Amino acid sequence: MRKLTWFNVTSLTLGFAFLYLPMVILVIYSFNASKLVTVWAGFSTKWYAELFQNQAFLDAAWVTLRVAVVSSTFATILGTMAAYVMVRAGRFYGRTLFSGMIYAPLVMPEVITGLSLLLLFIGIGLDRGILTIVLAHTTFSMCYVSVVVSSRLVSFDQSLEEAALDLGCSPWQAFRLVTLPIIAPAVISGWLLAFTLSLDDLVIASFTSGPSATTLPMKIWSSVRLGVNPQINALSTIMIAIVTVGVITASLISKRASVRALEDEQAAART
Amino acid sequence: MAQTVFEPWNDPDAKPIIQFKNVTKRFGDFTAIDDLTIDIYEREFFALLGPSGCGKTTMMRMLAGFETPTDGTILLQGKDIAPISPNKRAVNMMFQSYALFPHLSVWENIAFGLKRDKMAKDQIAARVDEMLRLTRLEKFARRKPHQISGGQRQRVALARSLAKAPKLLLLDEPLGALDKKLRQDTQFELMDIQEKTGTTFVIVTHDQEEAMTVASRVAVMDHGKIIQVATPAEIYETPNSTYVADFIGDVNLIEGRAEQDGDKVRVAWAEGQPAIVGTTTRQFDKGQTCHFAIRPEKVAITATKPENIANAVKGKIHDIAYLGNISTYHVALPNGHMIKAQAANNRRLSRRSFTWEDDVWLSWTDTAGVLLER
Ligand SMILES: Nc1ncnc2c1ncn2[C@@H]1O[C@H](COP(=O)(O)OP(=O)(O)O)[C@@H](O)[C@H]1O
Ligand SMILES: [Mg+2]
């Protein structure tokens, strides 16, 4: 182990303080007994208790959860299909354009994605509500899934699929019985990524939701405008926890399992 | 004991299992297989031999259905296989990389193809066990591919491709990853399995010894063309070109001008050296450029000039390669030409007859070599 110099220690501390101090303060104040956000009055979990009594928040949480599960599932299916086509189909007419277009939403400002989806939904006369949020989230998170899955597919030994075909599989069976089980860790971590993206999205949800559907981030945003309230701190702490667990699990799964799968595959290919 | 010789290629009534008819395969403007025509017969152990990149794998992949010929047709038992997708062909392939499924156990890998055929459960189990016994893998059935050795993995790949009892088994450099000893054992194992199952094997290799050991016939390829197809002995004894002669085993090649008299040919090849006398069934024009090819073991090495032999030249030993059972002598002729001669080491090394810088005589009969046009 190299020893850290005082300079390194300082920059590390400053950097992490900059990143995490706001969140740490938020988490601490969610356990504050006082109603005033800026005055510490001892430890309490009462805001959490109150939060679980607040029907408006619970409704919003339920909407968010449903949107996240459904949209991340669709995004995973579509994103995996797109990744498969891009990695496997070889050169076809318009391939560069297609792959560019799949990755474009990664760098597209959310406001623009949201606005264009809003215009589309109005244009085709679709009532805004849960369905439109699900569609919007699927659209913007599938490109993340396809990035994760295609990076795994690139290192996938294609002769495994050919062997499956050779042994009598249809192309769909070869995908389901050989490819999918082997790339499963990447697909799962893609799903988790899409899930957390959907969970904390405010901008696109605001553009595409209607009066009947309010997601949790939207609810938090609108109540904060009326003044910060310790319940919000509690809620935010829970969301931070969920997102953290989601992201860490996703990266652990994709790292560990894909490293292991790759080792297996290489070991199987050669001594 | 009278034994019928297995030579379907000489039997005009024999029906080939595979026929390549003027098959060409191009990748872009690169021609990987060039107007290739060949028949392969049932129960043959057919070897494709050639340097890396000459199109061996491409031929296999066309048989398995992963590539389609650009031109020409491939027939399997008389039927054009072009419209049949890979999963419907009665052909199985053992991949160069083995391509074992890493998420399945050895048992499941072997059962994989059988399950696709909707075979009954107990029948699958019986067949898999039979394959495990054949390839001596019973003890490893529950292991995953990464938990067994390279040689075992290679046998799993073989068992998996044999399990469906294909009419034709394609083996793409199956022994490439094994060390020499294991490789020789496995070669005999393969021949044994081929005989037991009666499957037609087409094996790809770039190892000429391997091809000679296992094959009933060998096709020597170069740049997408088959240069010669014959039994291993014919390929070795009567190569049809300097390319084949040079590719299989060790050979002395001498270029000269021919002068034919009946079945005898005199080859004038160097100033001040007597013409080489050889025998041929071909016709050479007077003065035509030809190549005389002779294997080192057919060149005798003696201290004095032998009597009554068609060809004898004098030289000096330049180098000796000691290979244990035999030694190869590199003998320099006065004009600088080098000729290799091989002799069995039937005496101890310390009592060897010749050593460096010795003057020796090289000699061979007029039927020991072959005369080639190119
Ligand atoms: N899919 C492909 N696209 C372009 N060129 C290819 C492809 N497959 C093979 N080739 C070329 O065809 C030639 C023959 O390849 P291959 O049949 O694999 O040779 P080998 O005899 O070593 O098995 C090589 O030069 C290779 O680069
Ligand atoms: Mg090859």
Side-chain angles (χ1 to χ4, degrees), chain B residues 170-199:
Chain B
L170 307 171
L171 305 123
D172 193 355
E173 307 213 7
L175 315 181
L178 308 184
D179 57 51
K180 197 171 158 90
K181 183 80 182 65
L182 190 55
R183 201 169 159 130
Q184 285 172 345
D185 292 348
T186 317
Q187 284 166 2
F188 287 108
E189 219 170 288
L190 272 182
M191 291 160 75
D192 201 39
I193 289 173
Q194 196 255 351
E195 225 157 81
K196 270 191 207 147
T197 57
T199 312

Side-chain angles (χ1 to χ4, degrees), chain B residues 127-351:
Chain B
R127 180 74 181 154
V128 173
D129 290 341
E130 190 185 334
M131 286 298 121
L132 286 170
R133 224 172 310 121
L134 186 69
T135 49
R136 296 189 274 116
L137 284 166
E138 294 104 321
K139 274 190 256 153
F140 308 100
R142 299 284 146 211
R143 301 238 189 123
K144 289 276 180 70
H146 68 277
Q147 294 165 324
I148 56 179
S149 75
Q152 289 157 352
R153 239 172 259 150
Q154 176 263 326
R155 296 212 297 270
V156 178
L158 181 65
R160 185 178 72 178
S161 47
L162 273 173
K164 295 186 78 166
K167 286 178 196 153
L168 175 64
L169 183 68
L170 307 171
L171 305 123
D172 193 355
E173 307 213 7
L175 315 181
L178 308 184
D179 57 51
K180 197 171 158 90
K181 183 80 182 65
L182 190 55
R183 201 169 159 130
Q184 285 172 345
D185 292 348
T186 317
Q187 284 166 2
F188 287 108
E189 219 170 288
L190 272 182
M191 291 160 75
D192 201 39
I193 289 173
Q194 196 255 351
E195 225 157 81
K196 270 191 207 147
T197 57
T199 312
T200 309
F201 278 27
V202 177
I203 189 172
V204 161
T205 173
H206 61 243
D207 176 352
Q208 45 112 352
E209 236 176 87
E210 186 167 294
M212 307 285 282
T213 310
V214 298
S216 58
R217 277 193 307 162
V218 177
V220 181
M221 292 181 70
D222 186 31
H223 287 109
K225 283 185 180 296
I226 288 183
I227 309 294
Q228 186 173 13
V229 188
T231 62
E234 282 166 356
I235 290 259
Y236 190 78
E237 299 290 341
T238 53
N240 68 356
S241 60
T242 52
Y243 176 80
V244 174
D246 201 24
F247 196 81
I248 312 277
D250 218 357
V251 72
N252 294 299
L253 286 171
I254 297 166
E255 190 181 328
R257 311 222 157 262
E259 197 188 330
Q260 191 153 9
D261 176 18
D263 64 346
K264 293 273 185 286
V265 180
R266 294 172 58 81
V267 183
W269 65 284
E271 288 288 326
Q273 292 285 349
I276 293 168
V277 183
T279 317
T280 189
T281 52
R282 295 167 216 245
Q283 280 302 317
F284 289 91
D285 297 333
K286 187 169 161 57
Q288 186 187 341
T289 304
C290 71
H291 303 265
F292 180 74
I294 184 162
R295 302 284 178 196
E297 74 273 13
K298 298 207 168 70
V299 178
I301 182 164
T302 47
T304 55
K305 185 174 183 181
E307 299 293 318
N308 302 327
I309 190 142
N311 301 284
V313 289
K314 196 175 174 201
K316 202 188 262 304
I317 293 182
H318 178 76
D319 209 354
I320 305 174
Y322 174 70
L323 301 170
N325 52 345
I326 54 169
S327 288
T328 304
Y329 299 88
H330 295 243
V331 177
L333 304 189
N335 61 357
H337 202 96
M338 201 72 78
I339 291 183
K340 283 173 275 185
Q342 248 168 19
N345 290 326
N346 35 22
R347 291 186 184 195
R348 297 292 295 260
L349 195 57
S350 53
R351 302 186 51 203

